[in-house]
């Protein structure tokens, strides 16, 4: 970054508060009391993010008489569910290309299930009056390099050939008529497959809806140990225990209570900035009248969107894996990444020079080697888990909740019959091999971005093995 650009980027960050914009909200609900003593229930849900909240809600919708308890180690929505970009996608497979690569025989069914899942989320937003700024505006994948434009054209051609016609190809003038950046060369607009929303408000709304259906929620109640207890299960917490017939684990990036699941995921730290509200003049300078979400098509990509009050969220690019996969709150704030993101923001939107950032934050998400969720059971089917959403959990966690409930019921459904649900990703190796492999992959991806998309021998080998690393 040139010295003048670095000074501009640094100046824009001077007043940025080091916390998630979404969580910095006066409407944030107060925490509920922690569990003290013993509780008994039919279903215990562990985790108060989207995964756990959807599971508790759907369990009560399926059977209003089911006694459901949810425990959360901190507060509902405080982790990835309260700090993500708010892109609620229909895709269950981290994009059509990833799904085609891994489950070509099921991709039609997976796309249909994903579309139905997003429709169901939209219906739940209306039914429970979830005040989460839900906007089904779609998303544009933009090309900022010539090889990316060629890749988007080929993707559009292939998906239409396969009968998927949800994306519209935009040339340079067409994409800049939607959102004006001198870096945009073209794009693919998925008009219906993605909604924008306020992620923390979605979590808080689901919390309220669950309680309205009778779910008992305990916050500041980490689940410490899972074990058999008679014909059911018992989970120990700091001040008590929960005895349940069944348990659903929605802990995602946090170490699973089923230890054999832990090697399948690693934590990756993702970072984002939020601007001050744009004036009418500044907003007009970039267009963006249709309020779509956007992401660029590099391996190290950015995601960006407008908030309800016309701020721009700008995130992504760096994806930091800490050696040993440790979870450390000190990694939530990374000034060198914030400076890099700010500089890249003004490269994308030079007409917004002078805009300042109000918030800067980061945090861990879980990723797995296939980039999309995996599922399973333990303790002879009385415990179900879902994890590995790799940044696509805003929408896909609702599908995962249905899968966990299906697995606990023991019956075969259209979801549990899927090879995607019945298979597992390849686990990550122990250290130092995990860190070495991930770092080598990241550097190779950066090199591919800088050299016309050319994938070196390491990346081609990872492709053949169905492995990789996604920012």
């Amino acid at each position: 970054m040139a010295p003048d650009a670095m000074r501009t980027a640094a100046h824009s960050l001077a007043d940025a508060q080091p916390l998630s914009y979404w969580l910095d909200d006066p409407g944030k609900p107060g925490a509920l009391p922690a569990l003290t003593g013993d509780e008994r229930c039919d279903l215990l849900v562990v985790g108060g993010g989207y995964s756990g909240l959807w599971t508790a809600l759907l369990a009560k919708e399926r059977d209003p008489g089911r006694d459901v308890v949810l425990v959360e180690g901190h507060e509902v929505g405080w982790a990835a569910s309260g700090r993500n970009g708010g892109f609620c996608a229909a895709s269950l497979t981290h994009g059509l290309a990833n799904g085609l690569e891994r489950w070509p025989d099921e991709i039609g069914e997976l796309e249909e299930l994903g579309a139905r899942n997003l429709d169901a989320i939209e219906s739940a937003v209306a039914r429970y009056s979830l005040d989460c700024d839900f906007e089904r505006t779609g998303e544009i994948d933009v090309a900022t390099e010539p090889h990316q434009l060629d890749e988007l054209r080929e993707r559009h051609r292939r998906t239409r050939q396969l009968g998927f016609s949800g994306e519209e190809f935009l040339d340079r003038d067409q994409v800049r008529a939607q959102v004006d950046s001198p870096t945009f060369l073209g794009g693919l607009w998925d008009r219906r497959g993605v909604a924008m929303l306020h992620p923390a408000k979605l979590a808080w709304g689901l919390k309220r809806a669950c309680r309205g259906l009778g779910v008992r929620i305990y916050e500041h109640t980490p689940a410490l140990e899972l074990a058999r207890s008679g014909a059911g299960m018992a989970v120990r917490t700091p001040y008590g225990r929960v005895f349940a017939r069944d348990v659903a684990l929605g802990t995602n990036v946090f170490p699973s209570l089923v230890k054999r699941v832990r090697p399948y995921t690693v934590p990756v730290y993702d970072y984002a900035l939020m601007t001050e509200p744009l004036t009418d003049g500044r907003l007009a300078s970039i267009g963006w009248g249709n309020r779509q979400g956007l992401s660029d098509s590099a391996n190290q990509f950015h995601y960006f969107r407008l908030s309800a009050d016309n701020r721009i969220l700008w995130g992504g690019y760096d994806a930091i894996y800490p050696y040993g996969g440790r979870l450390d709150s000190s990694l939530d704030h990374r000034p060198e990444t914030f400076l890099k993101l700010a500089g890249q923001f003004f490269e994308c939107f030079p007409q917004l020079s002078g805009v300042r950032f109000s918030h800067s934050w980061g945090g861990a998400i879980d990723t797995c080697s296939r980039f999309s969720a995996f599922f399973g059971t333990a303790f002879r089917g009385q415990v179900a888990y879902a994890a590995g959403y790799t940044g696509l959990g805003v929408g896909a966690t609702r599908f995962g909740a249905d899968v966990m409930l299906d697995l606990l019921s023991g019956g075969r459904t259209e979801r549990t019959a899927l090879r995607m649900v019945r298979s597992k990703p390849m686990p990550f190796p122990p250290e130092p091999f995990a860190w070495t492999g991930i770092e080598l992959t990241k550097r190779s991806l950066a090199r591919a971005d800088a050299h016309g998309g050319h994938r070196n021998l390491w990346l081609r080998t990872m492709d053949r093995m169905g492995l990789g690393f996604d920012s």
Side-chain angles (χ1 to χ4, degrees), residues 5 49 147 218 257 318 394 470-471:
H147 74 272
Y218 296 97
L257 292 176
D318 273 351
V394 180
D470 198 10
S471 65

Side-chain angles (χ1 to χ4, degrees), residues 10 27 29 91 103 140 157 172 208 226 253 340 342 353-354 436 450 468:
S91 178
W103 303 287
I140 303 176
R157 183 200 65 78
R172 178 182 178 277
R208 177 179 52 78
L226 173 68
V253 75
K340 184 187 302 181
S353 178
T436 302

